[in-house]
Amino acid sequence: MNSDLEPFFNPSTVAVVGASARKTSVGGVIFRNFLKPAFKGTAYPINPRTADVLGIPSFERVSAVPDPIDLTVIAVPAGIVPHIMRDCEEKGVKAVIIISGGFKETGPEGAYLEQQVIDIAKRSGIRVIGPNCVGIYDTNTGVDTTFLPASRMGRPGKGYISFISQSGAFAAAILDMNALSGLGVSRVISFGNKADVNEIDLIQYLGQDPETHVIVEYLEGLSPSTGTSYLQSAKLVTQEKPIIVVKAGRTQRGSAAAASHTGALAGDARLYDFAFHQAGIIIANDFEDGFEMAKALATQPTSDGNRILIVTDAGGAGVMTVDACEELGLSVPETPKDKKQILREAFPGYCSVHNPIDLTGDTDAERYQIALDVLLGIDHFDAAIAVVMMQIPLLDLDIVDRLVAIVRKYNKPLVACTAGGRFTMKGARLLEEAGIPALPTPARAAKAIWALVKYGEIKHKAGTMQQ
Amino acid sequence: MNSDLEPFFNPSTVAVVGASARKTSVGGVIFRNFLKPAFKGTAYPINPRTADVLGIPSFERVSAVPDPIDLTVIAVPAGIVPHIMRDCEEKGVKAVIIISGGFKETGPEGAYLEQQVIDIAKRSGIRVIGPNCVGIYDTNTGVDTTFLPASRMGRPGKGYISFISQSGAFAAAILDMNALSGLGVSRVISFGNKADVNEIDLIQYLGQDPETHVIVEYLEGLSPSTGTSYLQSAKLVTQEKPIIVVKAGRTQRGSAAAASHTGALAGDARLYDFAFHQAGIIIANDFEDGFEMAKALATQPTSDGNRILIVTDAGGAGVMTVDACEELGLSVPETPKDKKQILREAFPGYCSVHNPIDLTGDTDAERYQIALDVLLGIDHFDAAIAVVMMQIPLLDLDIVDRLVAIVRKYNKPLVACTAGGRFTMKGARLLEEAGIPALPTPARAAKAIWALVKYGEIKHKAGTMQQ
């Protein structure tokens, strides 16, 4: 990819300033990350107080490394960071991630240091992520500047969802959650004080990135100077891939809290809603539905319409799924008469062939396949929610293969809703590994389907306007 | 307890009609449940086709048992159930649970059978739960008529939340979920077609039950003949303990689906909202927030007001928690000036002493204790949300004891918000075992605190009206 952000994500050579053998030091953890087999480049420890780090010769400063350096990661106190930036300038380093805190966020002295960093970056052309950030976690290239110990924060595997966050704590929590749930990620970026690289640079980069299929962003506010540019960039990106924004500071008090947290102008929620809508951005309520929508968008085809078929083995959950769909503006049309007749002949008399199709508690996986096969192919339903309560004894895990076959056959989106304990968790994991999102409540399943409908509309609108 | 429902929950003698040695038969599973040590009474197998079941002498019919029978559980085909009911009448049985399906829900023939059951129950005074139900799961007495195999449905331990559900599938899913999450239950009742015992009987019984502190109910609709009586009963119960209703059929299409599912008149959602509000019932969006609110109400003191203190180690999550509180009508007042000064002296300069108090990513558990100790004691905050992202390295699990100590000291409610992977799950489990609900998102934590505020208001209103 032709971008000056490329050295952040795909460096051949990395210098870690503050690298040490101590497992508890930030620089120590980060340097170790670059020694893992996932990272294919070369990492150089920069530490004037030692001859080597873990047996690898150490250099006094970045400019002392004989080879060219693509990326420098800085994890030393704020006071000496401008000095290191000047050294990077001398060396011709392309990109710098400043993990260290102690800048703008701590007061005027820190702001002065940060301005020095900005000045050097501007004159030298060095791109800077941070300061005061967790940096990058990239499952494609093995770049990992997250410094939290593995005992506290799990590292997720490869996926196609990328996450951008000003908040480092959020990035860490999201990585940790996804590691446990098995949802992979592509590139996760915490950009902290955004002295240089900001959300516009990042959505432009990820917009062109073939390893990113969905972008999720945690955002507190846009600044007056960059807001319009952000929305214009987003509008271009959302024609190609979805952007889901988790917007904090929606309320008056929340907006004040955001100002105190990152200095963000969280502003009027309705203005943001309008602007995001214009830019084709999907708005999440929080990171939970944000990532659940992203999971659906990363695994399922988008929907050509909002007509939802619901198939269930639990009548009550079927009713709640109808409610949830209707409340999101989705349509739950009645089953066509001729198809009802076919289903009546296929199923016992106590099954309901109205939408939601109620297969009842003695169903097996085959009834799901029959109902979906009869109905999802016709131009009457655009997408389906399969409510699969796995406590019932005749339903076996071949439900997974049968649902996958239906999605393949009709290329219409399907998500599952399944709630329960150990057996259900096993079934849900199998569904997700097969690419079918499994959500634990009707409302969350409906929201995932809604995202597939919504992004279908966004793409359709973008297509119409290009014509 | 002096109630004609008592034999359902606390029988000394139980006859299981359809008991067999087969592990896959419904009667076989249920009879085995009554042989577990948790059940202290005596269980008699009723099966004319065998001399004994698992070595226990079997009887041809209920009336052949020499001892009096408190409870009969019926798990044989619908066609012979009226015959068994007549036998129970002859024997003087007090209570019958009819697990079998094949009644009203299958058409006119089944409805005729059900009417016979109702007629016998009325003339004899036998109370009947079901037919077409899962029956009772009671952690106090060991009564367990759930027939789903342990490999599919986990059995939760003792707790103080009771759950009433017309839907058997929901009851099973809830039991299974709670078994995994560690949230105990008291009495869970699936009452199916409610030929006799209905939700009014059950909330009256649970309202007087010392082992039930919170009632959760899944409801599709109230019938015109019993709706007013239900609301009057609920109004009395909610003066003593909370009732949380998960109401399905809120939308027009959902209401139609409910009519098809249980014949419920789901009706106008606003009418229900109004009526439930008058009766002091708390309305849940779904079973997820329903049980999370119940967990908070079962473990934490109710709140005397709606002024919420938020303490966080992650600024972004703090902002989102403010949003979530404000959107639920809770107040997030600014920290009083004099207390700000105290906190400024206690914490590093980069911490924020505004509400939400941001302890930042290098906090330990002690900062939480200090902030809560300084602020939760004053008549300025009624309740607290502690956002505890556990990825950060200096925060240890002594946070649990410190939060517990604060709740004890001030008797004000507190819930935690914590999101992450393995370590977080361990911490969340410890918090919940210590009686502090740990919710995975700001919105869900705010909803749990909202329930404590709401029930405080309901009790206050009831108290005022009694004066």
Side-chain angles (χ1 to χ4, degrees):
Chain A
M1 276 168 70
N2 185 14
S3 160
D4 54 0
L5 300 197
E6 190 64 12
F8 286 112
F9 298 100
N10 201 11
S12 298
T13 49
V14 177
V16 179
V17 182
S20 83
R22 282 189 301 131
K23 279 187 180 175
T24 53
S25 88
V26 170
V29 174
I30 294 173
F31 184 65
R32 271 185 178 76
N33 290 343
F34 282 105
L35 300 183
K36 291 178 188 167
F39 179 64
K40 305 296 178 204
T42 310
Y44 301 90
I46 311 295
N47 187 336
R49 282 175 297 183
T50 180
D52 73 288
V53 174
L54 304 168
I56 299 165
S58 173
F59 296 90
E60 208 177 326
R61 50 187 196 282
V62 177
S63 58
V65 178
D67 302 306
I69 294 293
D70 293 333
L71 172 66
T72 295
V73 183
I74 303 180
V76 292
I80 60 167
V81 170
H83 170 74
I84 295 161
M85 280 294 294
R86 277 187 289 271
D87 187 48
C88 287
E89 181 183 16
E90 188 188 323
K91 177 67 182 170
V93 169
K94 293 168 190 157
V96 172
I97 300 175
I98 307 174
I99 304 294
S100 327
F103 290 87
K104 196 178 71 183
E105 78 281 8
T106 58
E109 255 179 80
Y112 175 72
L113 286 171
E114 188 158 325
Q115 192 54 51
Q116 287 184 277
V117 167
I118 293 169
D119 292 344
I120 299 162
K122 281 210 174 134
R123 74 175 185 229
S124 65
I126 298 175
R127 299 306 308 261
V128 175
I129 286 181
N132 184 30
C133 72
V134 170
I136 291 175
Y137 176 80
D138 189 319
T139 58
N140 306 289
T141 60
V143 171
D144 177 6
T145 66
T146 62
F147 51 84
L148 296 161
S151 61
R152 288 301 178 93
M153 191 192 87
R155 263 81 172 166
K158 166 70 182 157
Y160 293 92
I161 301 169
S162 289
F163 180 56
I164 308 174
S165 175
Q166 195 170 354
S167 159
F170 251 124
I174 292 295
L175 288 172
D176 194 19
M177 281 169 65
N178 287 4
L180 183 65
S181 75
L183 180 65
V185 296
S186 184
R187 312 190 205 261
V188 174
I189 308 107
S190 139
F191 56 92
N193 294 4
K194 50 177 171 176
D196 173 30
V197 172
N198 62 18
E199 51 273 336
I200 302 171
D201 301 305
L202 291 168
I203 62 168
Q204 284 174 347
Y205 179 82
L206 296 173
Q208 293 169 30
D209 172 22
E211 299 300 327
T212 296
H213 297 180
V214 184
I215 300 168
V216 182
E217 184 177 355
Y218 172 76
L219 187 74
E220 296 191 353
L222 299 168
S223 73
S225 60
T226 60
T228 309
S229 166
Y230 171 83
L231 292 166
Q232 281 167 343
S233 299
K235 190 162 187 168
L236 287 174
V237 171
T238 57
Q239 290 172 24
E240 302 298 325
K241 59 186 78 169
I243 300 180
I244 298 168
V245 167
V246 181
K247 171 72 175 69
R250 291 190 303 258
T251 61
Q252 211 184 335
R253 284 282 303 146
S255 178
S260 158
H261 179 224
T262 56
L265 289 168
D268 188 316
R270 285 161 305 178
L271 270 182
Y272 274 97
D273 286 352
F274 178 79
F276 286 170
H277 179 75
Q278 292 298 314
I281 291 170
I282 294 172
I283 304 169
N285 287 332
D286 59 27
F287 49 87
E288 186 171 74
D289 72 331
F291 271 85
E292 286 171 356
M293 290 193 287
K295 182 160 64 179
L297 285 160
T299 54
Q300 288 289 303
T302 53
S303 184
D304 289 333
N306 75 343
R307 300 166 300 174
I308 313 301
L309 167 67
I310 300 166
V311 183
T312 185
D313 59 355
V319 176
M320 295 187 75
T321 307
V322 176
D323 279 340
C325 285
E326 292 258 311
E327 284 168 353
L328 287 166
L330 302 172
S331 164
V332 185
E334 179 53 307
T335 317
K337 223 171 180 180
D338 57 328
K339 301 298 175 185
K340 269 188 197 162
Q341 198 47 45
I342 296 173
L343 294 179
R344 273 205 195 95
E345 279 160 28
F347 297 152
Y350 47 82
C351 293
S352 172
V353 298
H354 303 282
N355 188 17
I357 313 292
D358 186 356
L359 306 173
T360 79
D362 71 345
T363 190
D364 53 15
E366 199 186 357
R367 280 192 210 156
Y368 279 93
Q369 190 171 20
I370 293 168
L372 289 162
D373 210 11
V374 168
L375 296 173
L376 206 53
I378 57 174
D379 181 22
H380 185 83
F381 294 111
D382 303 302
I385 298 176
V387 179
V388 187
M389 295 298 171
M390 301 196 188
Q391 289 79 27
I392 61 171
L394 299 181
L395 190 68
D396 282 321
L397 291 176
D398 63 327
I399 183 76
V400 176
D401 293 334
R402 291 176 189 262
L403 294 183
V404 168
I406 288 289
V407 174
R408 289 234 176 95
K409 186 166 176 186
Y410 297 112
N411 198 35
K412 290 183 179 178
L414 182 148
V415 305
C417 171
T418 187
R422 284 189 205 290
F423 183 80
T424 297
M425 291 296 120
K426 187 178 156 192
R429 190 79 174 227
L430 288 173
L431 281 167
E432 300 217 323
E433 283 169 5
I436 294 180
L439 288 310
T441 72
R444 288 160 70 178
K447 191 72 188 278
I449 276 286
W450 173 87
L452 294 161
V453 172
K454 180 81 185 168
Y455 189 61
E457 288 171 7
I458 290 164
K459 272 186 89 167
H460 179 76
K461 195 176 146 197
T464 311
M465 289 173 73
Q466 276 172 346
Q467 279 165 6
Chain B
M1 277 168 70
N2 185 14
S3 160
D4 55 359
L5 299 197
E6 189 65 11
F8 285 112
F9 299 99
N10 201 12
S12 298
T13 49
V14 177
V16 179
V17 182
S20 83
R22 282 188 301 132
K23 279 187 180 175
T24 52
S25 86
V26 171
V29 174
I30 293 173
F31 184 66
R32 271 185 178 74
N33 291 343
F34 282 105
L35 300 183
K36 290 178 188 166
F39 179 64
K40 304 298 177 202
T42 310
Y44 301 89
I46 312 295
N47 187 335
R49 281 173 298 182
T50 180
D52 72 288
V53 175
L54 304 168
I56 298 165
S58 172
F59 296 89
E60 208 177 324
R61 55 187 193 282
V62 178
S63 59
V65 179
D67 303 306
I69 294 294
D70 292 334
L71 172 66
T72 295
V73 182
I74 302 178
V76 291
I80 59 166
V81 170
H83 169 73
I84 294 161
M85 279 295 293
R86 277 188 287 271
D87 187 48
C88 286
E89 181 184 17
E90 187 188 323
K91 177 66 183 169
V93 169
K94 293 169 190 157
V96 172
I97 300 176
I98 306 173
I99 303 296
S100 327
F103 291 88
K104 196 178 70 183
E105 79 281 7
T106 58
E109 252 178 83
Y112 175 71
L113 286 171
E114 189 159 324
Q115 191 55 50
Q116 287 184 276
V117 168
I118 293 170
D119 292 343
I120 298 164
K122 278 207 176 137
R123 74 177 183 226
S124 65
I126 297 174
R127 300 305 309 262
V128 175
I129 287 181
N132 184 30
C133 72
V134 170
I136 291 175
Y137 177 78
D138 189 319
T139 59
N140 305 288
T141 60
V143 171
D144 177 5
T145 66
T146 62
F147 50 85
L148 297 160
S151 61
R152 288 301 177 92
M153 190 193 87
R155 263 79 172 168
K158 165 72 182 155
Y160 293 92
I161 301 169
S162 289
F163 180 55
I164 307 174
S165 174
Q166 194 169 354
S167 157
F170 250 124
I174 292 295
L175 287 172
D176 195 21
M177 283 170 65
N178 287 4
L180 183 65
S181 75
L183 181 64
V185 296
S186 183
R187 313 190 203 262
V188 174
I189 308 106
S190 139
F191 57 91
N193 294 4
K194 51 178 172 176
D196 172 30
V197 171
N198 63 17
E199 51 273 337
I200 302 171
D201 300 306
L202 291 167
I203 61 169
Q204 284 174 346
Y205 179 82
L206 296 173
Q208 292 169 32
D209 171 23
E211 300 300 325
T212 296
H213 297 179
V214 183
I215 299 168
V216 182
E217 184 176 354
Y218 172 76
L219 187 74
E220 296 192 351
L222 297 168
S223 74
S225 59
T226 59
T228 310
S229 165
Y230 172 82
L231 293 166
Q232 281 167 342
S233 297
K235 189 161 188 171
L236 286 174
V237 170
T238 57
Q239 290 172 24
E240 302 297 326
K241 60 186 75 171
I243 298 180
I244 297 168
V245 167
V246 181
K247 170 71 175 73
R250 290 190 303 259
T251 61
Q252 211 183 334
R253 283 285 301 148
S255 177
S260 157
H261 178 225
T262 56
L265 290 167
D268 187 317
R270 285 162 305 178
L271 269 182
Y272 274 97
D273 285 353
F274 179 78
F276 286 172
H277 179 74
Q278 292 297 316
I281 291 170
I282 294 172
I283 304 169
N285 287 334
D286 59 27
F287 50 87
E288 185 171 74
D289 73 331
F291 270 85
E292 286 172 355
M293 290 194 285
K295 181 160 65 178
L297 285 160
T299 53
Q300 288 288 303
T302 53
S303 185
D304 289 332
N306 76 343
R307 299 167 301 174
I308 314 300
L309 167 67
I310 300 165
V311 184
T312 184
D313 58 355
V319 176
M320 295 187 75
T321 307
V322 176
D323 280 340
C325 285
E326 292 257 313
E327 283 169 352
L328 288 165
L330 302 172
S331 164
V332 185
E334 178 56 307
T335 317
K337 224 169 180 181
D338 57 328
K339 302 298 176 185
K340 268 189 195 159
Q341 198 46 46
I342 295 173
L343 295 178
R344 273 204 194 95
E345 280 160 27
F347 296 152
Y350 47 81
C351 292
S352 171
V353 298
H354 302 280
N355 188 17
I357 312 293
D358 186 356
L359 305 173
T360 81
D362 71 346
T363 191
D364 53 14
E366 200 186 357
R367 280 191 211 156
Y368 279 93
Q369 189 169 23
I370 292 169
L372 289 162
D373 210 10
V374 168
L375 295 174
L376 206 53
I378 57 174
D379 180 22
H380 186 83
F381 293 113
D382 302 303
I385 298 175
V387 179
V388 187
M389 296 297 171
M390 300 194 188
Q391 289 78 27
I392 61 172
L394 299 181
L395 190 68
D396 282 321
L397 291 176
D398 63 326
I399 184 77
V400 177
D401 293 336
R402 290 176 190 263
L403 293 182
V404 169
I406 287 289
V407 174
R408 290 236 175 95
K409 187 167 174 185
Y410 297 113
N411 197 36
K412 289 182 178 176
L414 183 148
V415 306
C417 171
T418 188
R422 283 189 207 289
F423 183 80
T424 296
M425 290 297 119
K426 187 178 156 189
R429 191 77 176 227
L430 288 174
L431 281 167
E432 298 216 324
E433 283 170 4
I436 294 179
L439 289 311
T441 72
R444 288 161 70 178
K447 190 71 187 280
I449 276 285
W450 174 87
L452 294 161
V453 171
K454 181 80 184 168
Y455 190 60
E457 288 171 9
I458 289 165
K459 272 185 88 167
H460 179 74
K461 195 176 145 197
T464 310
M465 289 175 72
Q466 277 172 343
Q467 279 166 7

